[in-house]
Amino acid sequence: MTQTKIAIIGAGGLTGKELTSLLAHHPHFQLVHITSNQVDGKHIREVFPDISHLPNLVFQKHDAPIPKDAHIVLATPNEVSLEKAPEYLSEGRKVIDLSGTFRLHDQTKFETAYKFKHTKFEWMDKVVFGLPELFREKIKNANFVSNPGCYATSAILPIAILGNLRNDIEGAVIVDAKSGVSGAGGRTEEIKFAYTHVYENFRAYKILSHQHEPEMEEYAFVGSKPKEIHFTPHLLPVYRGILATIYIRFAKPVDPKLVEEKLQSATKNEPLIRLYNTPEEIEIKKVQNTNYLDIGFTTKGNTLVLVSALDNLRKGAAGQALQNLNLMFGYPETLGLVSL
Amino acid sequence: MTQTKIAIIGAGGLTGKELTSLLAHHPHFQLVHITSNQVDGKHIREVFPDISHLPNLVFQKHDAPIPKDAHIVLATPNEVSLEKAPEYLSEGRKVIDLSGTFRLHDQTKFETAYKFKHTKFEWMDKVVFGLPELFREKIKNANFVSNPGCYATSAILPIAILGNLRNDIEGAVIVDAKSGVSGAGGRTEEIKFAYTHVYENFRAYKILSHQHEPEMEEYAFVGSKPKEIHFTPHLLPVYRGILATIYIRFAKPVDPKLVEEKLQSATKNEPLIRLYNTPEEIEIKKVQNTNYLDIGFTTKGNTLVLVSALDNLRKGAAGQALQNLNLMFGYPETLGLVSL
Amino acid sequence: MTQTKIAIIGAGGLTGKELTSLLAHHPHFQLVHITSNQVDGKHIREVFPDISHLPNLVFQKHDAPIPKDAHIVLATPNEVSLEKAPEYLSEGRKVIDLSGTFRLHDQTKFETAYKFKHTKFEWMDKVVFGLPELFREKIKNANFVSNPGCYATSAILPIAILGNLRNDIEGAVIVDAKSGVSGAGGRTEEIKFAYTHVYENFRAYKILSHQHEPEMEEYAFVGSKPKEIHFTPHLLPVYRGILATIYIRFAKPVDPKLVEEKLQSATKNEPLIRLYNTPEEIEIKKVQNTNYLDIGFTTKGNTLVLVSALDNLRKGAAGQALQNLNLMFGYPETLGLVSL
Amino acid sequence: MTQTKIAIIGAGGLTGKELTSLLAHHPHFQLVHITSNQVDGKHIREVFPDISHLPNLVFQKHDAPIPKDAHIVLATPNEVSLEKAPEYLSEGRKVIDLSGTFRLHDQTKFETAYKFKHTKFEWMDKVVFGLPELFREKIKNANFVSNPGCYATSAILPIAILGNLRNDIEGAVIVDAKSGVSGAGGRTEEIKFAYTHVYENFRAYKILSHQHEPEMEEYAFVGSKPKEIHFTPHLLPVYRGILATIYIRFAKPVDPKLVEEKLQSATKNEPLIRLYNTPEEIEIKKVQNTNYLDIGFTTKGNTLVLVSALDNLRKGAAGQALQNLNLMFGYPETLGLVSL
């Protein structure tokens, strides 16, 4: 069996951990190198005692030498990805970056959203946005893929698959999304993620000012007239999973049959999107620890309500990264993600 | 000290329990009679072992004789309130009904929302909607008050206090609300409220079809042009509390200063509404077990986002009922609800 | 109505907050002064937005002047109580200390358990241990009361009320207790109390080495032969409440009737202890936010199993402090704690 | 690759679901038949939408014809296993039964614990208790294996591996175990498992009377003097995982070094047992979704405290069943359970 060697830079975080676990079940990818500047020197089993299937590896420092023939997954902070991605690319390695650094093609919007200067913007011509349902063919031929944000994925896909219906949208699209702590930075030691502040609680944050809002605006309307998106994230007393309730207003009454057809035809060959007859069937539990994006909808007058759900660490991050890796290296797209 | 005698019909449920506990701390109300057809014959301490302050009462059957001079709180199912409220009123008792039976003045909308025939609709001319911030004076003189729904309260007040700004609203107002299980019927034995289905989970239900939607539409626009409201409730893995995220679109850009002024002037004398500088400060924990409605807002272009939170069993039900009782019987409005 | 003035030193913590809320409902105690070196200068309503009934006070620094005629509750760290308690006592104020500083009469055991030198040990002759069920008369006449630990209370009382049965105990008594985060220091910012480490988790800590173990050993056997206690605390994914499962082995088979009699006679006049027919009826939910200690038992051969539950912030801390305050100042023992 | 065909009778429950998911990753077992009298006729993907890797199967009725060459896993209620196990065995199939029906060799104890008459007791001579760490060789040659209970596994192994130290145990061994709802029957629709009764709650149940107590007594002392075990299960507000705190009293002071040696030598070749230096390191999170049993200990005087943790659906049920299947069919013992 052909083997493709993978190195994960920043494997100590939640996404790195998730991807490590996924790769351990994959027949063709071999994880050969993992780094973390927090737990370097420790064996992976010490750091992830809660995972049964793990390669036999020890964490290295970020700057430790990487096996020549290994390709790269960056699960690092934005500033680190900004430096490292170009470096590895120029060594001839393929790179997937899970940070937000290479997602936005408007430098001003990037620097407003991420609050630091983008000094490698020339790479934005070379990177491919890693949303297979929209850019499958480009990803197959890409050396450099930027993996989408978790919230962004939950909103871009349900809107994008509406196809030409998007041209009749009136006003701003409302994305009201709710995430578990692992999607909202919950691993951090900040007091706001203390048990006493999260359990039995619920709140909105970064209302209309989250960095995934411009990402949604850039990709949800590919192939149609651009529209404004108003995005509000909320913190759930849940560990993993995102549910997004999306409100779209049209110039005229919405025909549910037409929406149904659009969604059906756009997704009938999509292995990781599941459509439901009623949006009330969609729940976080159905997607936790899976790689699916679940979608349902209902309509009333001129309004269309879409509900979507995904696991922020799977289809929202590591699962999507593996889906992209499969495409980049010519393996079946969902190998290691769902039964074939 | 003057004493007003109160009987709670259907005191065995969550709202009845909450009101029982509140009345036990009130200097002027004396709870003299409680009924329940599930636990009749049991002493209140057996049924509510988790409450320290309780009157010395035994549960009676619904049809047990009620002390002549007692006034009535109905915490009963809609069908029961429909029969009982008129009966008690004709006996010369004052009545507050916590069910949805006497809230809507459009019989068709009522019967569509509640799915049963309203055979006492003549009483809709006599009932007062128990939202003190909107109908304080009427409530003071009322013999018959219909207590608002929990979701409805969380949406009606933030919208209503916008005053004449409501006339410039364009399209439907979006109310995306999230409630703990006690606000979503969570005491029921239904399997959908089993721990395994609620914990680590989140879902929408009754999207654009919840019975509180017409209630919001009737009262949120009192004194302004009527608008459409699109309401989606969601079930949180939380016991008590509701947070509502409300999206309002205007014909022209919103001036935050103008909104600020409106909210300030409308609430500066309201003892149970708290305004926050940023909507991100609002969270369910701050209102749990209190009688406050917390409100904050932000704007972007033509869009205004309001965030509100309340405790569904307090300001959303029993607390508001006590606020109404205080008004109906001439006691300080917040006596027993907040420090004076 | 007579009024007794109270100052709480260290009112910004969980216990101070709980006591502040309890005193607000008490007819005879008037909270006149609250201190915190973290939030001094802030109004109490800003710091505790989730409490409806609060006095109109602003937090002072610990060393701000205290009204002459105010008595003191210390809700401070051990080292602070060590310095402050004697100081306030010599000013002629009555003092209740909620820290562990003045609970153990064996200096070596104290310094082993608390890991610092006790420089005011002479005060151990003057302090009364604030467990009303054991030391009611002494507390009535005390100027200086040391409030028991939460775990300690849950174990001492069920064992102590066994009376002379304690003389037949063989070997060490096993106390296996489980607490919510507020009883295990959960307000602290430590990473071990992050949501991701507490939710869906459970673990033991300080096995046979918790500072409440010597406290249990000193007071559980007052009036009988001293015995050894082996205490293991565990951390529950719960906010408040402690349940203790206590295993006692006797030299000969236990007669359940005899145990029943002992518990009945020892508690029939105790307003805050509730006995249950079966220990399976006892649960944390029944005591949360109440001031009760619930007790039940079962036997098998030579073994007696006692199950007890309390709210660590009420009967385990602030509630017990108020019970002691009532006794010290001649008010009805449970005034403000349960219905009279 | 050799393929062994497996049929799961009663695959619609939590254990059946877990085993179905494990087998989907196993290279040598092929799940060919699943039954459920609740969801028969439904495709497995409809019933388990939250599992990514599933075979392409439809649920059959229990009595539907089973492929001739398929071996059997019974995940059925006790009464069903009692009838079905002998039936399948006489057809020449190998059988693993996950119910408690064939675990106890004392018929009186069985009928007391399980409250029904055992009419097939002759099979108790042929069945092997499926605890590989104790009966590995017998399991390899067995046609009929009875899979241990989840609580039982968490207590039997830590005690059994003490070897001859068990002979010096004095009095009854105390097993204080805490389980998530999935280990305590939490999938049932009973009201006691409603979210409102489980969240923020904790209680003991079946104190000294749980059916796993005689199972612990029969197997924990294999090869040593039999001792009494006192077992108390508790219900955690957690979904999966069991932590057991075990108190053992010896005739003389315990030598921690000696215990350390015993545990080390007994487990150094055990792939699914992990020893920890301090019992405080052991937590439910570390074993959730894994097949490990974690063990740690501490001592004080004559007392030894063992702490163990496992996932009740893995090492406590389905994971252990797969471990047994691997042994019965000559595959590597941990294939599909941990990395080799």
Side-chain angles (χ1 to χ4, degrees):
Chain A
M1 271 195 307
T2 76
Q3 289 291 318
T4 302
K5 297 208 173 79
I6 298 292
I8 302 178
I9 311 305
L14 291 181
T15 311
K17 176 183 181 177
E18 195 75 16
L19 185 55
T20 299
S21 166
L22 283 170
L23 290 174
H25 285 288
H26 197 287
H28 299 311
F29 288 114
Q30 184 191 1
L31 188 58
V32 296
H33 186 81
I34 52 174
T35 80
S36 161
N37 285 353
Q38 285 73 47
V39 295
D40 60 290
K42 288 198 172 173
H43 191 282
I44 192 169
R45 288 185 203 285
E46 285 178 85
V47 182
F48 304 143
D50 54 333
I51 301 184
S52 296
H53 292 75
L54 285 173
N56 183 13
L57 291 171
V58 170
F59 278 94
Q60 312 294 316
K61 283 252 181 229
H62 285 346
D63 50 18
I66 301 172
K68 281 230 157 343
D69 53 355
H71 298 284
I72 306 292
V73 176
L74 282 166
T76 41
N78 293 300
E79 293 79 352
V80 178
S81 291
L82 183 68
E83 297 311 316
K84 291 289 187 182
E87 180 183 317
Y88 297 131
L89 285 160
S90 28
E91 294 170 7
R93 308 177 191 268
K94 296 191 178 193
V95 172
I96 291 192
D97 176 28
L98 284 103
S99 83
T101 316
F102 296 97
R103 293 179 190 157
L104 303 182
H105 285 81
D106 178 318
Q107 186 159 1
T108 315
K109 284 186 179 171
F110 174 88
E111 295 177 353
T112 312
Y114 288 88
K115 301 178 177 52
F116 72 96
K117 183 138 186 51
H118 198 308
T119 58
K120 303 275 195 306
F121 212 73
E122 65 277 13
W123 287 92
M124 290 310 300
D125 306 338
K126 308 186 181 57
V127 69
V128 174
F129 190 65
L131 206 48
E133 291 78 4
L134 300 186
F135 305 108
R136 186 165 280 117
E137 292 316 309
K138 285 184 174 169
I139 295 165
K140 285 181 182 170
N141 305 310
N143 291 321
F144 184 20
V145 168
S146 177
N147 216 56
C150 51
Y151 278 123
T153 301
S154 74
I156 293 169
L157 284 177
I159 299 169
I161 61 181
L162 291 173
N164 59 8
L165 293 181
R166 294 172 298 173
N167 294 320
D168 308 325
I169 293 174
E170 219 179 52
V173 170
I174 305 292
V175 176
D176 190 282
K178 304 86 176 174
S179 172
V181 290
S182 65
R187 202 206 187 186
T188 73
E189 270 87 278
E190 296 169 72
I191 178 64
K192 70 181 174 189
F193 292 115
Y195 179 78
T196 52
H197 293 292
V198 174
Y199 104 101
E200 269 290 290
N201 201 5
F202 183 71
R203 59 182 176 80
Y205 64 101
K206 293 188 178 180
I207 304 177
L208 309 194
S209 62
H210 190 283
Q211 66 275 14
H212 286 182
E213 193 176 78
E215 187 177 336
M216 296 175 188
E217 287 176 333
E218 175 170 350
Y219 298 102
F221 301 103
V222 167
S224 79
K225 276 188 270 159
K227 306 284 175 184
E228 205 181 354
I229 286 182
H230 290 341
F231 167 48
T232 302
H234 300 74
L235 178 64
L236 287 168
V238 158
Y239 181 62
R240 61 198 290 162
I242 288 175
L243 185 136
T245 315
I246 303 169
Y247 301 87
I248 304 180
R249 184 158 164 256
F250 290 93
K252 49 180 168 33
V254 194
D255 174 359
K257 285 201 183 41
L258 201 58
V259 177
E260 178 72 25
E261 282 165 26
K262 281 286 170 198
L263 298 188
Q264 288 291 358
S265 62
T267 61
K268 62 177 183 301
N269 298 322
E270 284 303 337
L272 296 182
I273 298 183
R274 299 187 296 197
L275 292 187
Y276 286 76
N277 295 331
T278 66
E280 283 86 355
E281 291 174 80
I282 292 170
E283 52 184 359
I284 278 181
K285 248 197 199 333
K286 287 203 181 93
V287 293
Q288 276 172 334
N289 302 300
T290 79
N291 303 284
Y292 294 111
L293 173 73
D294 286 354
I295 300 176
F297 78 94
T298 190
T299 65
K300 190 174 195 178
N302 292 20
T303 298
L304 165 67
V305 181
L306 290 157
V307 176
S308 71
L310 55 71
D311 182 320
N312 52 288
L313 295 176
R314 289 289 187 91
K315 182 59 176 169
Q320 187 137 267
L322 180 51
Q323 185 179 5
N324 284 319
L325 283 168
N326 281 330
L327 290 169
M328 291 166 79
F329 293 97
Y331 302 125
E333 181 171 345
T334 59
L335 191 58
L337 295 172
V338 293
S339 323
L340 294 179
Chain B
M1 274 194 303
T2 75
Q3 288 291 318
T4 303
K5 296 208 175 76
I6 299 293
I8 302 177
I9 310 305
L14 292 179
T15 310
K17 176 182 180 178
E18 195 75 17
L19 186 55
T20 300
S21 166
L22 283 170
L23 290 174
H25 285 288
H26 197 287
H28 298 313
F29 287 114
Q30 184 190 1
L31 187 57
V32 296
H33 186 81
I34 52 174
T35 79
S36 162
N37 285 352
Q38 284 73 47
V39 294
D40 58 291
K42 288 196 171 174
H43 191 283
I44 192 169
R45 289 187 202 286
E46 285 177 85
V47 182
F48 303 143
D50 54 333
I51 300 184
S52 296
H53 292 74
L54 284 174
N56 184 14
L57 290 172
V58 171
F59 278 94
Q60 311 295 317
K61 283 255 180 228
H62 285 344
D63 49 17
I66 302 171
K68 282 232 156 344
D69 53 354
H71 298 284
I72 307 291
V73 176
L74 282 167
T76 40
N78 293 299
E79 293 78 352
V80 178
S81 291
L82 183 68
E83 296 311 315
K84 292 288 188 183
E87 182 184 317
Y88 297 130
L89 286 160
S90 24
E91 293 170 8
R93 308 176 190 268
K94 295 192 177 193
V95 172
I96 290 191
D97 176 28
L98 284 104
S99 83
T101 316
F102 296 95
R103 295 179 190 156
L104 304 183
H105 286 80
D106 178 320
Q107 187 159 1
T108 315
K109 283 186 179 172
F110 174 87
E111 294 176 353
T112 311
Y114 288 87
K115 300 177 179 52
F116 72 94
K117 183 136 191 50
H118 198 308
T119 57
K120 304 272 195 307
F121 213 74
E122 65 277 15
W123 287 92
M124 289 311 300
D125 305 338
K126 308 185 181 59
V127 71
V128 174
F129 190 65
L131 206 48
E133 291 79 5
L134 299 187
F135 304 108
R136 187 166 279 118
E137 294 315 309
K138 283 184 176 167
I139 295 165
K140 286 180 182 170
N141 305 309
N143 291 321
F144 184 19
V145 168
S146 176
N147 216 55
C150 50
Y151 278 124
T153 301
S154 74
I156 292 169
L157 284 178
I159 298 169
I161 59 180
L162 292 173
N164 59 8
L165 293 181
R166 293 172 298 174
N167 294 319
D168 308 326
I169 294 175
E170 217 178 54
V173 170
I174 303 293
V175 176
D176 189 283
K178 304 84 176 175
S179 172
V181 290
S182 65
R187 201 207 189 187
T188 72
E189 271 84 280
E190 296 169 71
I191 179 62
K192 70 181 176 187
F193 292 117
Y195 180 78
T196 52
H197 294 292
V198 173
Y199 104 102
E200 271 290 288
N201 201 7
F202 183 71
R203 58 182 175 81
Y205 64 100
K206 293 189 179 180
I207 304 176
L208 310 194
S209 61
H210 191 282
Q211 66 275 15
H212 286 182
E213 193 176 79
E215 188 177 335
M216 295 175 188
E217 287 176 333
E218 176 169 350
Y219 297 103
F221 300 104
V222 168
S224 80
K225 273 186 276 160
K227 305 283 175 184
E228 207 182 352
I229 286 183
H230 290 339
F231 167 47
T232 302
H234 300 74
L235 178 64
L236 287 168
V238 157
Y239 181 63
R240 60 196 293 161
I242 288 175
L243 186 137
T245 314
I246 303 169
Y247 301 87
I248 303 180
R249 186 159 166 255
F250 290 92
K252 49 181 166 39
V254 195
D255 175 359
K257 283 200 184 42
L258 202 58
V259 177
E260 179 73 24
E261 282 164 28
K262 282 287 171 195
L263 296 188
Q264 287 291 0
S265 62
T267 61
K268 62 177 185 300
N269 298 322
E270 283 303 337
L272 296 182
I273 297 183
R274 300 187 295 197
L275 291 188
Y276 286 76
N277 295 330
T278 65
E280 283 86 356
E281 293 174 79
I282 292 169
E283 53 184 359
I284 278 182
K285 249 196 199 331
K286 287 201 180 97
V287 293
Q288 277 173 333
N289 301 300
T290 79
N291 303 285
Y292 295 112
L293 173 74
D294 286 354
I295 300 176
F297 77 96
T298 190
T299 65
K300 190 173 194 178
N302 293 20
T303 299
L304 165 66
V305 181
L306 291 157
V307 177
S308 70
L310 55 73
D311 183 321
N312 51 290
L313 295 176
R314 289 289 187 92
K315 182 59 175 170
Q320 186 135 270
L322 180 51
Q323 187 179 3
N324 285 319
L325 283 168
N326 280 330
L327 291 169
M328 291 166 79
F329 292 97
Y331 302 125
E333 181 171 346
T334 59
L335 191 58
L337 294 173
V338 294
S339 321
L340 293 180
Chain C
M1 273 195 305
T2 76
Q3 288 290 319
T4 302
K5 297 209 174 80
I6 298 292
I8 302 177
I9 311 304
L14 292 179
T15 311
K17 177 182 180 178
E18 195 75 16
L19 185 56
T20 299
S21 167
L22 283 171
L23 290 174
H25 284 288
H26 197 288
H28 298 311
F29 287 115
Q30 183 189 5
L31 188 58
V32 296
H33 186 81
I34 52 174
T35 80
S36 163
N37 285 352
Q38 285 73 48
V39 294
D40 60 290
K42 288 198 171 171
H43 191 283
I44 192 169
R45 288 185 203 285
E46 284 177 86
V47 183
F48 304 143
D50 54 333
I51 301 185
S52 295
H53 293 75
L54 285 173
N56 184 13
L57 291 170
V58 171
F59 278 94
Q60 311 294 316
K61 283 253 183 227
H62 285 344
D63 50 17
I66 302 172
K68 281 231 156 346
D69 53 354
H71 299 284
I72 307 292
V73 176
L74 282 166
T76 41
N78 293 300
E79 292 79 353
V80 178
S81 291
L82 183 67
E83 296 311 316
K84 291 290 187 182
E87 181 183 317
Y88 297 131
L89 285 161
S90 28
E91 294 170 7
R93 307 178 191 268
K94 295 191 177 193
V95 172
I96 290 191
D97 177 28
L98 285 103
S99 83
T101 315
F102 295 97
R103 294 180 190 155
L104 304 182
H105 286 81
D106 178 319
Q107 187 159 2
T108 315
K109 282 186 179 170
F110 175 87
E111 294 178 353
T112 311
Y114 288 88
K115 300 178 178 52
F116 72 95
K117 182 136 189 53
H118 197 309
T119 57
K120 302 274 196 305
F121 213 73
E122 65 278 13
W123 286 92
M124 290 311 300
D125 306 337
K126 307 185 181 57
V127 70
V128 174
F129 190 64
L131 206 48
E133 292 79 2
L134 299 186
F135 305 108
R136 186 165 282 119
E137 293 315 310
K138 284 183 175 170
I139 295 165
K140 286 181 182 170
N141 304 311
N143 292 320
F144 184 19
V145 169
S146 177
N147 215 55
C150 50
Y151 278 124
T153 301
S154 74
I156 292 169
L157 284 178
I159 297 170
I161 60 180
L162 291 173
N164 60 8
L165 294 181
R166 292 173 298 172
N167 293 320
D168 308 326
I169 293 174
E170 218 178 54
V173 170
I174 305 293
V175 176
D176 190 282
K178 305 85 177 174
S179 173
V181 290
S182 65
R187 202 203 187 191
T188 72
E189 271 86 283
E190 297 169 71
I191 178 64
K192 69 181 174 188
F193 292 115
Y195 180 78
T196 52
H197 293 292
V198 174
Y199 104 100
E200 270 291 289
N201 200 6
F202 184 71
R203 58 180 176 82
Y205 65 100
K206 293 189 179 180
I207 304 176
L208 310 193
S209 61
H210 190 282
Q211 65 275 16
H212 287 181
E213 193 177 77
E215 187 177 335
M216 295 174 188
E217 287 176 333
E218 176 170 349
Y219 298 102
F221 301 103
V222 167
S224 78
K225 275 186 272 161
K227 306 283 174 184
E228 205 182 353
I229 286 181
H230 290 340
F231 167 47
T232 301
H234 300 74
L235 178 64
L236 287 168
V238 157
Y239 181 63
R240 62 197 290 163
I242 287 175
L243 185 137
T245 316
I246 303 169
Y247 300 88
I248 303 180
R249 183 159 167 256
F250 291 93
K252 50 181 167 34
V254 194
D255 174 0
K257 284 201 184 40
L258 201 58
V259 177
E260 179 72 25
E261 283 165 25
K262 282 287 170 197
L263 297 188
Q264 288 290 359
S265 62
T267 61
K268 62 177 184 300
N269 298 323
E270 284 303 336
L272 296 181
I273 297 183
R274 298 187 297 196
L275 292 187
Y276 286 77
N277 295 331
T278 66
E280 283 86 356
E281 291 174 79
I282 292 169
E283 52 183 359
I284 278 181
K285 248 196 199 332
K286 287 202 182 95
V287 293
Q288 277 172 334
N289 301 301
T290 80
N291 303 284
Y292 294 112
L293 173 74
D294 286 354
I295 300 177
F297 78 95
T298 190
T299 66
K300 190 175 194 178
N302 294 19
T303 298
L304 165 67
V305 181
L306 290 158
V307 176
S308 70
L310 54 72
D311 182 320
N312 51 289
L313 295 176
R314 290 288 187 93
K315 182 59 176 169
Q320 188 137 266
L322 180 51
Q323 186 179 3
N324 285 319
L325 284 168
N326 280 330
L327 290 169
M328 291 167 78
F329 292 96
Y331 302 125
E333 181 171 346
T334 59
L335 192 58
L337 294 173
V338 292
S339 321
L340 294 180
Chain D
M1 272 195 308
T2 75
Q3 289 292 317
T4 302
K5 296 208 175 78
I6 298 293
I8 302 178
I9 310 304
L14 292 179
T15 310
K17 177 182 180 178
E18 195 75 17
L19 186 54
T20 298
S21 166
L22 284 170
L23 291 174
H25 285 288
H26 197 288
H28 299 313
F29 287 114
Q30 185 191 2
L31 187 57
V32 296
H33 186 80
I34 52 174
T35 79
S36 161
N37 285 353
Q38 284 73 47
V39 294
D40 59 290
K42 287 196 172 174
H43 191 282
I44 192 170
R45 288 187 203 284
E46 284 177 86
V47 182
F48 304 143
D50 54 333
I51 302 184
S52 296
H53 292 74
L54 285 173
N56 184 13
L57 290 171
V58 171
F59 278 94
Q60 310 295 316
K61 283 255 181 226
H62 285 345
D63 50 17
I66 302 171
K68 281 233 158 341
D69 53 355
H71 297 284
I72 307 291
V73 176
L74 282 166
T76 39
N78 292 301
E79 292 80 352
V80 178
S81 291
L82 183 67
E83 297 311 314
K84 291 288 188 184
E87 181 183 317
Y88 297 131
L89 285 161
S90 27
E91 293 169 7
R93 308 176 190 268
K94 295 192 177 191
V95 172
I96 291 192
D97 176 28
L98 284 104
S99 82
T101 317
F102 296 96
R103 294 179 189 157
L104 304 182
H105 286 80
D106 178 320
Q107 186 159 1
T108 315
K109 284 186 178 171
F110 174 87
E111 294 178 353
T112 312
Y114 287 87
K115 301 178 178 52
F116 70 96
K117 183 136 191 52
H118 198 308
T119 57
K120 303 273 196 305
F121 212 72
E122 65 277 13
W123 286 93
M124 290 310 301
D125 305 337
K126 309 185 181 58
V127 70
V128 174
F129 191 65
L131 206 48
E133 292 79 3
L134 299 187
F135 305 107
R136 186 167 280 118
E137 294 315 309
K138 283 184 177 166
I139 295 165
K140 286 180 182 169
N141 305 309
N143 292 320
F144 184 20
V145 169
S146 176
N147 216 55
C150 51
Y151 278 123
T153 300
S154 74
I156 293 169
L157 284 177
I159 298 169
I161 60 181
L162 291 172
N164 59 8
L165 294 181
R166 293 172 298 173
N167 294 320
D168 308 325
I169 293 174
E170 216 178 55
V173 170
I174 305 293
V175 176
D176 190 283
K178 302 85 176 175
S179 172
V181 290
S182 64
R187 201 207 190 190
T188 72
E189 271 85 281
E190 297 169 70
I191 179 62
K192 69 181 176 187
F193 293 116
Y195 180 77
T196 51
H197 293 292
V198 174
Y199 104 101
E200 271 289 288
N201 200 7
F202 183 71
R203 58 181 176 82
Y205 63 101
K206 291 188 179 179
I207 304 176
L208 310 194
S209 62
H210 190 283
Q211 65 275 15
H212 287 181
E213 193 176 79
E215 187 178 336
M216 295 175 188
E217 288 177 334
E218 175 169 350
Y219 298 103
F221 300 104
V222 168
S224 79
K225 274 187 273 158
K227 305 283 175 184
E228 206 183 353
I229 285 182
H230 291 337
F231 167 48
T232 302
H234 300 74
L235 178 64
L236 286 168
V238 158
Y239 182 62
R240 60 197 292 163
I242 287 175
L243 185 136
T245 315
I246 303 169
Y247 302 88
I248 304 180
R249 185 160 164 252
F250 290 92
K252 49 180 167 40
V254 194
D255 175 358
K257 284 200 184 42
L258 202 58
V259 176
E260 178 73 24
E261 282 165 25
K262 282 287 170 195
L263 298 187
Q264 288 290 1
S265 63
T267 61
K268 62 177 184 299
N269 298 322
E270 283 303 337
L272 296 182
I273 297 183
R274 300 187 295 196
L275 292 187
Y276 287 75
N277 295 331
T278 65
E280 283 86 355
E281 291 174 79
I282 291 170
E283 53 183 358
I284 278 181
K285 249 196 199 332
K286 287 201 180 96
V287 293
Q288 277 172 333
N289 301 300
T290 79
N291 303 284
Y292 295 112
L293 174 74
D294 286 354
I295 300 177
F297 77 96
T298 190
T299 66
K300 189 174 195 177
N302 292 21
T303 300
L304 166 66
V305 181
L306 290 157
V307 177
S308 70
L310 55 73
D311 182 321
N312 51 290
L313 295 176
R314 289 290 186 89
K315 182 59 175 170
Q320 187 136 269
L322 180 51
Q323 187 179 3
N324 285 319
L325 284 168
N326 281 330
L327 290 169
M328 290 166 79
F329 293 97
Y331 303 125
E333 181 171 346
T334 59
L335 191 59
L337 295 173
V338 294
S339 323
L340 294 180

